[in-house]
């Protein structure tokens, strides 16, 4: 029968194991307390009792795996530097000190197990602020030691150039380790042959070394890439012009219908204005004839000289518009 103490220890271990698996699968941001409780088969009160928050829980998950790993790495690097002092150390020695402890822990279920490499890859490739801050606080001294060792192994490479190349190479390697396709990549990598850990690590080290020692791009490489950029800009401009032509009224059926309707409305307005002018002119002529008839019937001595002003068609049209 289990005691209360052992039961509490089992609960805490189940929570850590569940959190580690979820983090490896989906990353820090997507790992939720609800998922952890479901995976660990515990209630939220148990999680709060042991860890109080997600960050504290995740810190415990990382520390129980990475603290022993870093201790092993530094101890092995010390041994390598003692065996190959100064510039006698090679890039392979430094890479071995970095990855041999990880491979050893991946072989030992008590301290990591087969999923340990994927956990390690997830830690290196996760972009969440919490993980980045954890690495900054816990890995800075370790990274500094290994950076100095790489600098001695490749003395011809400037330190600033070595820095970004190391970041690129190790991040790329971490992304491969974190991927779900790792199980299928390794058989393809070994091509069905039985390969020792040293052989596998030698293959990986060769690729990292190629990145660290690759020559700076020459004039021909820069010119070739610049030509591709220029070609891409030409295609982009051509695509923009095509989109503009496609969206113009001449190519838009709705716009064409709207333009036709506007033209018809304008023509109707002109026709109405012309008809109004014609009606106004006819009315003026009739009024003028009536006035002449009235003047004719008045005795001669009663006539008065009247002054007539020509009609303004614009005024007549405006009056007609007011009435209608």
């Amino acid at each position: 029968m289990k005691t209360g103490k052992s039961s509490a220890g089992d609960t805490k271990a189940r929570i850590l194991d569940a959190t580690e698996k979820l983090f490896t699968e989906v990353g820090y941001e997507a790992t939720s307390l609800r998922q952890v409780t479901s995976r660990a088969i515990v209630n939220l009160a148990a999680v709060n009792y042991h860890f109080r928050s997600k960050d504290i829980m995740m810190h415990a998950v990382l520390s129980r795996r990475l603290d022993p790993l870093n201790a092993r790495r530094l101890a092995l690097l010390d041994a390598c530097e003692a065996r190959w002092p100064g510039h006698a150390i090679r890039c392979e020695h430094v890479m071995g000190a970095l990855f041999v402890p990880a491979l050893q822990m991946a072989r030992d279920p008590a301290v990591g197990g087969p999923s340990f490499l994927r956990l390690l890859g997830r830690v290196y490739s996760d972009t969440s602020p919490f993980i980045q801050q954890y690495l900054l606080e816990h890995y800075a001294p370790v990274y500094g030691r290994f950076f100095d060792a790489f600098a001695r192994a490749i003395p011809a490479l400037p330190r600033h150039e070595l820095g970004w190349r190391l970041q690129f190479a190790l991040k790329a390697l971490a992304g491969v380790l974190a991927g779900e396709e790792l199980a299928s990549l390794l058989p393809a990598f070994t091509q069905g042959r039985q390969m020792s850990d040293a052989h596998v690590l030698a293959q990986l080290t060769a690729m990292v070394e190629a990145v660290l020692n690759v020559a700076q791009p020459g004039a021909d490489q820069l010119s070739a890439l610049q030509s591709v950029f220029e070609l891409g800009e030409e295609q982009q401009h051509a695509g923009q012009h095509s989109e503009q032509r496609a969206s113009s009224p001449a190519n838009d059926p709705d716009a064409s219908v709207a333009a036709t309707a506007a033209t018809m409305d304008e023509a109707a307005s002109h026709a109405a204005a012309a008809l109004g002018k014609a009606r106004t002119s006819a009315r003026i002529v009739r009024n003028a004839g009536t006035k002449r008839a009235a003047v004719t019937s008045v005795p001669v001595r009663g006539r008065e000289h009247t002054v007539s002003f020509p009609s303004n068609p614009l005024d007549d049209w405006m009056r007609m518009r007011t009435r209608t």
Side-chain angles (χ1 to χ4, degrees):
M1 179 177 180
K2 294 183 178 180
T3 64
K5 184 176 180 180
S6 63
S7 297
D10 291 344
T11 299
K12 185 175 182 179
R14 289 206 313 273
I15 294 173
L16 290 176
D17 290 341
T19 305
E20 179 179 316
K21 290 178 181 178
L22 283 168
F23 169 68
T24 302
E25 293 170 5
V26 300
Y28 173 80
E29 297 293 347
T31 299
S32 67
L33 293 180
R34 184 179 297 277
Q35 290 174 315
V36 171
T37 57
S38 177
R39 183 75 65 94
I41 316 178
V42 298
N43 55 35
L44 187 59
V47 175
N48 291 331
Y49 172 77
H50 287 288
F51 301 105
R52 299 194 305 279
S53 71
K54 174 183 172 179
D55 287 354
I56 294 175
M57 181 177 64
M58 186 63 66
H59 191 282
V61 167
L62 299 178
S63 294
R64 74 168 181 166
R65 299 300 190 200
L66 300 185
D67 287 353
L69 172 64
N70 285 337
R72 293 189 182 195
R73 282 172 163 174
L74 290 175
L76 188 53
L77 181 60
D78 289 339
C80 289
E81 290 176 333
R83 176 74 63 88
W84 301 283
H87 294 292
I89 196 167
R90 294 171 55 91
C91 186
E92 292 86 355
H93 299 145
V94 184
M95 283 289 293
L98 191 62
F99 282 99
V100 164
L103 292 174
Q104 290 175 336
M105 292 180 69
R107 300 290 189 190
D108 186 357
V111 294
S115 63
F116 179 72
L117 290 180
R118 283 196 61 203
L119 170 65
L120 195 61
R122 174 64 71 180
V123 170
Y124 288 144
S125 59
D126 197 286
T127 59
S128 65
F130 174 83
I131 298 299
Q132 293 300 309
Q133 185 63 29
Y134 179 89
L135 292 176
L136 182 63
E137 293 175 356
H138 292 77
Y139 271 60
V142 178
Y143 180 79
R145 283 288 311 279
F146 276 89
F147 182 85
D148 290 339
F150 274 114
R152 289 192 299 274
I154 315 175
L157 192 63
R159 290 179 68 88
H160 70 276
E161 189 76 14
L162 173 64
W164 79 260
R165 291 190 184 196
L166 269 177
Q167 287 285 345
F168 175 82
L170 296 181
K171 286 281 187 179
L173 186 55
V176 173
L177 295 177
E180 296 181 356
E181 68 278 4
L182 180 62
S184 59
L185 281 177
L186 285 179
F189 185 67
T190 60
Q191 298 181 357
R193 296 170 294 170
Q194 291 293 330
M195 298 178 66
S196 65
D197 288 345
H199 195 172
V200 173
L201 187 56
Q203 295 277 62
L204 297 176
T205 301
M207 290 186 287
V208 173
E209 278 195 85
V211 174
L212 297 180
N213 291 301
V214 68
Q216 291 285 349
D220 292 343
Q221 292 172 296
L222 292 176
S223 177
L225 285 174
Q226 184 61 37
S227 299
V228 177
F229 273 108
E230 293 172 357
L231 183 60
E233 291 177 357
E234 292 176 3
Q235 290 184 334
Q236 182 178 11
H237 292 325
Q240 291 174 349
H241 291 321
S242 298
E243 291 177 359
Q244 292 175 355
R245 287 195 300 269
S247 61
S248 63
N251 297 318
D252 188 350
D254 294 336
S256 299
V257 171
T260 303
T263 303
M264 293 176 65
D265 289 342
E266 185 178 359
S269 298
H270 287 307
L275 180 59
K277 289 181 181 180
R279 290 175 176 174
T280 302
S281 299
R283 186 171 61 254
I284 293 172
V285 171
R286 289 195 302 271
N287 292 339
T290 304
K291 289 180 181 179
R292 283 197 297 271
V295 171
T296 304
S297 62
V298 175
V300 174
R301 59 177 173 268
R303 292 181 182 175
E304 295 181 357
H305 181 70
T306 60
V307 179
S308 62
F309 296 93
S311 175
N312 187 334
L314 181 60
D315 291 340
D316 295 339
W317 181 77
M318 289 297 294
R319 285 193 296 271
M320 184 272 295
R321 292 279 295 180
T322 302
R323 289 195 298 271
T324 57

